[in-house]
Amino acid sequence: MNDRIAATPPATLAELLRRGNVFAEQCPSREVLKHVTSRWGVLLLVALLAGTQRFSDLRRKVGGISEKMLAQTLQWLEADGFVARIAHPVVPPHVEYSLTPLGIEVAGKVEVLADWIEFNLPAIMAARAARESGPD
Amino acid sequence: MNDRIAATPPATLAELLRRGNVFAEQCPSREVLKHVTSRWGVLLLVALLAGTQRFSDLRRKVGGISEKMLAQTLQWLEADGFVARIAHPVVPPHVEYSLTPLGIEVAGKVEVLADWIEFNLPAIMAARAARESGPD
DNA sequence: CAGAATCCTAATCGATACTG
DNA sequence: CAGTATCGATTAGGATTCTG
């Protein structure tokens, strides 16, 4: 990755940002992060934590997702090595999606974030309300 | 929140997805998640972990961000209670942004995710390469 | 059933210019 | 300096149709 900032030794994204470098946008990780944190990426990853599922299962489970977005997001995640796709060559096509070991890990991180937000929603909404009415 | 699924007792997003409900899209947490995982939201949160900073500092530090997006994203995060904005009423305007306690927490989760990706990029790229050439 | 292809709309983003 | 306003370009995303 980042050829031009390769000199910086042990740099996580966080490190880079703290230092002031931050042209990490030309780094592949930006792309991966985008897939993972995309609207449907988050939901699909968490949904797939429940185990192997078929295309239509996911479509039903995730809800408002269109076929197009489902297919596209699955392809992103597959290309990133997070999702494994297994197509059974039977007459009515049967394809199963599951998380790879790598995918299980990211999905875990995403789930932590999503759950934190869900859990802290009351506090968040409270802070929002307090700001609106309170300290004008 | 979610009036219609209020019956479900202790439901995290993950729980909802695993069960098959998942119409969490009409839930405020979807919005918060969107702000937090947005392209610039991620970067700003992590950047702000370094401490209080001014508008132009953030603009410089985050890099490719436009003024518009910086202002907008900061407003989102402020409205969600993650960022505190302090404007000093001096002649050349001086405004400082920092994370609230709540913001420090989410930023931490986001940082974990971002760092995981950064750290595992080699493995991700390897998986990608292997799939392209290998098991046709 | 799984998905590719097409078309189309609405939202997003970025650059520029302007204001207090 | 710290924004807001506006506009054009890009993109995400949805609905529909078609195929193996």
Side-chain angles (χ1 to χ4, degrees):
Chain A
M1 69 181 215
N2 39 35
D3 311 296
R4 67 181 54 183
I5 52 179
T8 56
T12 60
L13 202 183
E15 273 306 313
L16 291 176
L17 277 167
R18 263 186 239 104
R19 293 180 195 173
N21 287 316
V22 162
F23 275 137
E25 282 158 309
Q26 55 210 353
C27 174
S29 67
R30 301 273 76 242
E31 182 125 345
V32 176
L33 191 61
K34 186 175 183 179
H35 298 162
V36 168
T37 63
S38 72
R39 179 176 180 190
W40 303 115
V42 174
L43 297 178
L44 279 177
L45 284 173
V46 176
L48 279 167
L49 276 175
T52 300
Q53 278 150 97
R54 300 184 57 179
F55 188 88
S56 47
D57 289 337
L58 290 170
R59 183 151 160 54
R60 228 170 299 115
K61 175 174 283 193
V62 170
I65 194 171
S66 67
E67 291 187 0
K68 180 185 174 182
M69 283 297 102
L70 178 54
Q72 182 174 109
T73 307
L74 282 173
Q75 282 170 16
W76 286 343
L77 297 177
E78 190 193 357
D80 291 337
F82 299 140
V83 165
R85 192 192 109 113
I86 300 179
H88 298 86
V90 295
V91 180
H94 187 104
V95 183
E96 295 188 327
Y97 293 90
S98 59
L99 292 177
T100 63
L102 219 50
I104 294 177
E105 286 194 56
V106 239
K109 312 289 181 190
V110 171
E111 189 186 23
V112 167
L113 176 61
D115 281 352
W116 183 93
I117 291 176
E118 192 91 12
F119 183 76
N120 287 277
L121 247 195
I124 295 171
M125 300 305 275
R128 193 189 302 230
R131 197 168 331 93
E132 277 170 0
S133 57
D136 72 284
Chain B
M1 70 182 215
N2 41 32
D3 312 296
R4 67 181 55 185
I5 52 179
T8 56
T12 60
L13 201 184
E15 273 305 315
L16 290 175
L17 276 168
R18 264 186 236 104
R19 292 180 195 173
N21 287 319
V22 162
F23 276 136
E25 284 160 306
Q26 54 211 353
C27 174
S29 66
R30 301 275 76 243
E31 183 123 346
V32 176
L33 191 61
K34 185 174 183 178
H35 298 161
V36 168
T37 63
S38 72
R39 179 175 181 191
W40 304 115
V42 174
L43 298 178
L44 279 178
L45 284 174
V46 177
L48 280 168
L49 274 175
T52 299
Q53 278 151 96
R54 300 182 58 176
F55 188 87
S56 46
D57 289 336
L58 290 170
R59 183 149 160 55
R60 228 170 301 113
K61 176 174 283 194
V62 170
I65 194 171
S66 65
E67 291 185 0
K68 180 185 173 183
M69 284 297 102
L70 178 55
Q72 183 174 106
T73 308
L74 282 173
Q75 281 168 16
W76 285 343
L77 296 176
E78 190 192 357
D80 290 338
F82 298 140
V83 164
R85 193 191 108 113
I86 300 179
H88 298 86
V90 294
V91 179
H94 187 106
V95 182
E96 295 189 328
Y97 293 92
S98 60
L99 292 177
T100 63
L102 218 51
I104 293 177
E105 285 195 56
V106 241
K109 312 290 181 189
V110 170
E111 189 187 22
V112 168
L113 175 61
D115 281 352
W116 183 94
I117 291 178
E118 192 90 12
F119 183 76
N120 287 277
L121 247 195
I124 295 172
M125 299 306 274
R128 192 189 302 230
R131 198 169 328 95
E132 278 171 0
S133 56
D136 67 285

